[in-house]
């Protein structure tokens, strides 16, 4: 059992992702810029959702907005991890982050599934 917990801190035998790209400068920068831009967009969305629910106290289901925010932050962090693994073969940590993202996304999907019948009974914006 203690060996399992040591895996995230050992990258023996793995090579950084940059080796797969043969360290082609253009290709490496393409991935850096793309992943950084996606992460920036992902990180801005939860702040906008929080701003929205803080200004609109009449919006029900605030918890779902927060779940979406957590899911989106986890996705953005995954893209930052993709940049990190260009130089550092920390694939156990990257896999753990993906597992966390999966848990948050499944939880969000189940919450939406159970919330959907209530959401469908809400009056339309025109009726409000």
């Amino acid at each position: 059992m203690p060996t399992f917990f040591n895996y995230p801190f050992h990258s023996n035998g793995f090579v950084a992702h940059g080796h797969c790209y043969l360290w082609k400068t253009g290709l490496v920068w393409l991935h850096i810029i793309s992943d950084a831009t996606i992460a920036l967009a992902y990180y801005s969305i939860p702040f906008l959702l929080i701003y929205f629910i803080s200004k609109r106290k009449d919006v029900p289901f605030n918890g779902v907005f927060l779940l979406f925010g957590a899911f989106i932050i986890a996705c953005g962090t995954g893209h930052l991890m993709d940049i990190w693994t260009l130089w550092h073969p920390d694939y156990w940590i990257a896999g753990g982050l993906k597992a966390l993202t999966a848990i948050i996304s499944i939880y969000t999907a189940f919450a939406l599934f159970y919330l959907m019948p209530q959401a469908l009974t809400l009056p339309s914006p025109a009726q409000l």
Side-chain angles (χ1 to χ4, degrees):
M1 186 66 126
T3 308
F4 173 77
F5 292 107
N6 288 333
Y7 278 120
F9 306 105
H10 293 290
S11 52
N12 297 347
F14 296 116
V15 295
H17 233 151
H19 289 290
C20 297
Y21 302 148
L22 302 176
W23 295 111
K24 299 284 186 185
T25 305
L27 185 57
V28 170
W29 275 107
L30 172 65
H31 283 267
I32 291 170
I33 292 169
S34 298
D35 282 320
T37 303
I38 292 168
L40 179 64
Y42 275 166
Y43 284 155
S44 68
I45 292 168
F47 289 110
L48 293 169
L49 289 174
I50 290 169
Y51 176 77
F52 178 77
I53 63 175
S54 72
K55 295 295 182 185
R56 293 288 309 263
K57 304 293 184 193
D58 60 331
V59 175
F61 318 121
N62 288 349
V64 172
F65 284 94
L66 297 176
L67 281 173
F68 270 118
F71 166 64
I72 293 168
I73 286 173
C75 290
T77 305
H79 283 278
L80 291 180
M81 193 68 200
D82 287 342
I83 294 172
W84 176 261
T85 58
L86 284 170
W87 291 276
H88 308 278
D90 296 324
Y91 300 121
W92 282 100
I93 296 171
L97 179 59
K98 286 183 181 184
L100 177 64
T101 304
I103 291 167
I104 295 170
S105 65
I106 288 295
Y107 189 79
T108 304
F110 278 122
L112 275 175
F113 179 78
Y114 288 109
L115 190 65
M116 195 57 61
Q118 291 174 302
L120 290 172
T121 63
L122 290 173
S124 70
Q127 290 174 323
L128 291 174

